[in-house]
Structure formats: structure tokens, C-alpha cells
Amino acid sequence: SMTLVKAQYYPISMEEKLEHSSLIIEGKVVNKEAFRHDNHIYTKNQIEVIRTVKGDVVQGELVEVITSGGMMDDVTETWTHMPELTLNQHSFFFLRPAAQSMYSELERSNAYESYSGVQGIYSFSKDVSRTIYSTLESYRDVEHFYQKIGIPEYAEAAADAVFRDCR
């Protein structure tokens, strides 16, 4: 039998995510490894950094992100309201140290979790559109998202555009 937990989402603003995440990266899931703790299955996801928006990791570095659920010994555990990552997934991740939260008892140093659960992961749409989205929010043009999260070359482009409009 499988229990489905339906959660209520409390929307968390982009400003709050930007402020409270200690690490914000664009990255790709390159490895997944399930492990067991207290009768629950967790997954250690290795994210290869493509771009750092906030924090001190560099391109090509591997960051460990813990998620709830996973598959071990033919047993699959799923948490509906928690993020689940897939191999080769290319996303923006808003992260905080796992030690500060529900994963603190796992005692994994240098491990992170998604800040605000599923709301802390923005994925590119699979089609050719320029949409990027999380569970509760989507940006029709990824450049708006880049400006919003303050990626320098886009922030400058936005400021230039405003300046041009004012002349």
C-alpha cells in the first residue's frame, strides 16, 4: 500500500528565497544514491555546478543535495510534497545547509537541502520554449527569471534597458 500525503503549499516569495538560501546554483544532477535512516529512505543527489548565483562554489564543483524518498532494495518511498530529482535534471537550486532542518539528524557535513521544498527548484521546460518554472510559479521568459535572481549580465541588461527607455 502507498500513502499519499497531500500538502498545503504556503507560497514563499522570490525575495525570501534569495535572502534565506545560502547557496543558489544552476546545476545538473549527475548522480543519485539512496540511503536508509530510521526506517526512511533518503537520496543523496550530486549536482554539478554550472553557474553560481549566491554562495562560494565554482563551476564544475559537486554539491550534495539530500531529498526525502528514493528507491532501495525494490522499495520505493515517495513524499508528494517534497522535491524529487531525476538524473540529468537541469535546474536552478535554492539551497540551505541540511544541518539546519529536517535533515539535521542525518549529520551529513557539506550537504544541502532545497530551501522551501519544491518551491526552491526551478526547471527548464522540456520543449523549446524559454519557460522556467517551479511548483507554484513560472516565468514565461527565462531572462525575467535571470533578472529577478540577479544574474549580473542580465541585471545590467535590465538596467541598460531602463536607462534607454528614459532618454
Side-chain angles (χ1 to χ4, degrees), residues 99-163:
Q100 293 177 354
S101 63
M102 67 176 281
Y103 301 111
S104 55
E105 85 281 3
L106 300 176
E107 288 173 6
R108 300 192 73 92
S109 59
N110 298 326
Y112 291 87
E113 65 152 0
S114 168
Y115 177 77
S116 70
V118 288
Q119 296 182 58
I121 297 169
Y122 288 79
S123 298
F124 293 92
S125 50
K126 298 279 186 282
D127 58 23
V128 292
S129 78
R130 296 171 53 79
T131 308
I132 187 166
Y133 61 93
S134 73
T135 298
L136 290 188
E137 146 185 64
S138 93
Y139 291 81
R140 198 178 66 252
D141 190 328
V142 72
E143 281 196 25
H144 296 162
F145 174 78
Y146 291 160
Q147 286 168 11
K148 185 98 174 175
I149 66 176
I151 289 180
E153 58 266 40
Y154 291 94
E156 285 155 22
D160 287 351
V162 168
F163 183 65

Side-chain angles (χ1 to χ4, degrees), residues 60-75:
E61 199 172 320
L62 294 177
V63 171
E64 181 177 305
V65 176
I66 305 292
T67 50
S68 293
M71 185 173 170
M72 257 189 112
D73 313 321
D74 293 334
V75 176

